[in-house]
Amino acid sequence: MSIRRDTALRWAAYVGIAVAFAVACVFLSNWQFARNDERAAQLALVERNYDAAAVPLDELLPDDQLDPESEWHPVVVTGEYVSEQQVVVRNRPHGGTSAFEVLTPLRTSDGRVLIVDRGWIPPAERGDGPALIPAPPSGTVSVVVRLRAPEALPNSGRTAPAGQVPTINLPLVAETTGSATLTSAYGMLVSEDPPVPDMPFALAAPSEDPGPHLSYAIQWILFAVMGFVFIGYIIRTERRKRAEDDDQPLAPRVAGPRKRVDRDAEQEDAILDRADA
């Protein structure tokens, strides 16, 4: 009974481990399904807004409050670039290098300042800064930009040299460009009028890759099933071995009696031989 009780407890522990593993797999699978849904919503938003007709800035950003559903939508803005307050964002992955993106403030006729990301430039061959930054158009300019939400400050707390920022965090940029800077959205440049011959490299369109989240979610479900299959295989193997041990016959124990029988026969033969003599 003790052996059977120990075996039952061990098998119960196996099942408990499989259940705990399955719960963890289900949690991770649901997390990946949620990320897949988020990515699908992002792709749908880009598809809906990216090539839409441009509208005036005030129509989508009346009170410096960007509606998340308006991200990537083109807007038309007229004003003057303030090139002396221009900054660059460092460590941007463009062209196979840690490039820089050029953020130029555009002051509109009502005094507000919209940060325009005019594109990227490679790093300088020497030093820790960008290559030569092309100058923006002077005077009044009409630009078409796609609205983007600002980025958070880096969790690492990293900073940047003067004239540079670690991310497109608009409150941080506003420390250079002034309190009139819009902080709920910035613009990714689509076109400028009048154009200039030298421009930063254009920013690439957002990726249409849905990512691996759906396949990862399915894999976690399969891992949960495999955990139960593996535990079942272990229990089945133990039961089979136990059955084989129970069915194996005991070894015959006849060596001792056979020797005694042979000895008795020898004694009888010796007595008969003496009687004949």
Side-chain angles (χ1 to χ4, degrees):
M1 291 295 294
S2 177
I3 294 177
R4 291 185 177 180
R5 185 173 63 253
D6 291 344
T7 300
L9 291 175
R10 184 169 64 254
W11 290 353
Y14 291 163
V15 174
I17 292 173
V19 170
F21 179 70
V23 170
C25 289
V26 169
F27 173 80
L28 293 171
S29 177
N30 288 337
W31 176 58
Q32 290 293 345
F33 276 125
R35 294 194 64 187
N36 182 72
D37 291 342
E38 291 175 2
R39 180 58 180 161
Q42 292 172 357
L43 293 177
L45 180 65
V46 172
E47 183 178 2
R48 185 167 61 251
N49 291 345
Y50 194 81
D51 293 322
V55 298
L57 176 65
D58 288 341
E59 186 173 324
L60 296 183
L61 207 67
D63 300 314
D64 196 11
Q65 295 294 326
L66 177 65
D67 184 344
E69 293 299 315
S70 297
E71 190 168 8
W72 293 105
H73 200 294
V75 295
V76 179
V77 190
T78 300
E80 293 186 5
Y81 280 123
V82 187
S83 57
E84 62 270 17
Q85 295 178 347
Q86 184 171 261
V87 296
V88 294
V89 194
R90 59 189 290 112
N91 294 328
R92 311 297 276 193
H94 299 293
T97 65
S98 296
F100 296 81
E101 292 180 17
V102 181
L103 304 181
T104 308
L106 178 71
R107 181 175 290 113
T108 64
S109 57
D110 59 6
R112 294 182 299 171
V113 175
L114 176 70
I115 301 300
V116 177
D117 189 338
R118 300 186 66 239
W120 67 274
I121 54 177
E125 295 183 359
R126 296 182 180 180
D128 191 32
L132 182 65
I133 303 175
S138 58
T140 301
V141 59
S142 177
V143 302
V144 176
V145 297
R146 292 186 174 95
L147 294 178
R148 293 298 316 279
E151 300 172 359
L153 289 172
N155 293 328
S156 62
R158 72 177 188 273
T159 58
Q164 302 179 20
V165 289
T167 63
I168 308 180
N169 180 265
L170 295 178
L172 179 62
V173 175
E175 294 179 3
T176 299
T177 58
S179 59
T181 303
L182 299 173
T183 56
S184 70
Y186 69 97
M188 287 180 57
L189 183 65
V190 178
S191 64
E192 292 175 335
D193 185 24
V196 289
D198 294 327
M199 288 281 296
F201 293 101
L203 298 170
S207 172
E208 297 180 357
D209 184 3
H213 308 300
L214 182 58
S215 62
Y216 285 168
I218 296 174
Q219 287 177 19
W220 282 117
I221 293 175
L222 293 177
F223 287 157
V225 174
M226 289 171 59
F228 284 107
V229 172
F230 179 69
I231 295 300
Y233 172 77
I234 292 177
I235 294 176
R236 182 179 179 184
T237 302
E238 288 192 6
R239 292 183 61 185
R240 183 184 301 157
K241 186 176 183 303
R242 176 66 59 82
E244 291 174 353
D245 292 342
D246 292 342
D247 293 341
Q248 185 174 356
L250 296 175
R253 301 169 63 181
V254 298
R258 183 176 297 171
K259 290 181 179 179
R260 287 195 296 269
V261 171
D262 293 343
R263 190 178 300 112
D264 292 342
E266 292 175 356
Q267 291 176 354
E268 290 178 359
D269 290 341
I271 292 172
L272 291 175
D273 289 342
R274 286 196 296 271
D276 292 339

